[in-house]
Amino acid sequence: LLGFYDAPGNRPRQQPKGLPPRLTKELLIENVSQLWKEAETNRAQQCAQEAAQRRTGLPKCPFSWVSGLSQQQNNEKWVLEYFQSRASVWRGWQLEAEGGKTGFVPQKVTDEIVLDFELPQTIRTVTLFWMKSYGPKWQNSHVDVVVDGNAPRALVGYHAKNTSEMYTESVPVHIPANQPFRIQCKLVGGTTFKLMGMAVCS
């Protein structure tokens, strides 16, 4: 690899830790060593941030719920209160457990949830969990999610498989501690959708 040896005849430099960069069409022999080193540096920084987070005593994900993970998190009263305690807009979405899969379901196009946050730690990712299903009921199912005013993320609720499965979408952000932000979910296509979880994490 370019830059891997100090000079002709010398011993090779120590191999960077961790996995090498992914093999893609854009990866060049001229930059693979540098990208590998950058990945190692970024991982070290992430580990340092996680260690600092643990020392503060603050949870990694100060707001999180994923359907089916625990008995408490399947308690519909608890889940509904947990979300509505953050809501400045709650229009049309209902908590349902059809098919044994608990989740929030809008009733018509334009139904919307807006959740407001102001957390004592830097937030770096917001992950959404939702169900994809099949059949006429789910055709054109489409929710737009906006995190902190960024461009909408389109979550599609239909797939061409005769199964109902959970999917995830992670939105990278950088929201400083104590800075207000919001998460908006709106049905913009189809007649139904099922939001099965959300995790706001540092």
Side-chain angles (χ1 to χ4, degrees):
L1 297 177
L2 189 66
F4 191 69
Y5 292 87
D6 289 315
N10 287 355
R11 301 183 66 180
R13 295 176 181 173
Q14 184 177 358
Q15 178 177 306
K17 297 178 182 178
L19 296 174
R22 292 182 61 184
L23 185 61
T24 65
K25 292 185 296 183
E26 292 76 23
L27 186 64
L28 303 174
I29 193 169
E30 289 84 0
N31 62 13
V32 63
S33 294
Q34 183 60 35
L35 291 174
W36 198 347
K37 292 175 186 175
E38 289 175 0
E40 179 185 2
T41 300
N42 292 338
R43 177 57 186 157
Q45 291 174 344
Q46 183 181 353
C47 289
Q49 291 168 350
E50 291 174 354
Q53 183 75 44
R54 289 193 293 270
R55 287 194 294 271
T56 67
L58 296 172
K60 171 72 175 175
C61 300
F63 183 89
S64 66
W65 168 72
V66 180
S67 179
L69 276 193
S70 71
Q71 187 173 12
Q72 181 190 41
Q73 292 194 341
N74 281 334
N75 181 306
E76 292 188 16
K77 183 176 184 294
W78 181 90
V79 174
L80 190 60
E81 290 178 352
Y82 187 60
F83 272 74
Q84 289 187 336
S85 68
R86 294 282 185 180
S88 57
V89 176
W90 194 280
R91 186 167 56 243
W93 291 67
Q94 297 179 6
L95 189 62
E96 300 180 3
E98 183 180 356
K101 299 176 185 292
T102 301
F104 291 100
V105 178
Q107 306 305 301
K108 65 181 187 304
V109 170
T110 73
D111 280 356
E112 182 180 21
I113 295 173
V114 178
L115 305 178
D116 294 318
F117 298 89
E118 187 173 342
L119 301 169
Q121 63 209 79
T122 299
I123 299 301
R124 295 180 176 85
T125 60
V126 174
T127 303
L128 291 308
F129 303 77
W130 81 101
M131 190 172 80
K132 285 190 179 186
S133 197
Y134 61 99
K137 177 181 177 180
W138 291 87
Q139 288 183 355
N140 303 314
S141 173
H142 173 188
V143 159
D144 272 351
V145 177
V146 177
V147 179
D148 194 35
N150 292 318
R153 291 291 184 108
L155 306 184
V156 175
Y158 175 83
H159 62 185
K161 297 193 290 184
N162 292 336
T163 58
S164 296
E165 301 174 6
M166 183 188 289
Y167 285 70
T168 65
E169 174 88 2
S170 290
V171 182
V173 294
H174 185 84
I175 304 169
N178 302 310
Q179 175 176 299
F181 68 99
R182 58 179 33 182
I183 300 171
Q184 302 164 267
C185 303
K186 179 187 286 188
L187 183 68
V188 297
T191 60
T192 193
F193 187 86
K194 181 171 281 190
L195 180 68
M196 297 186 68
M198 181 182 297
V200 179
C201 302
S202 57

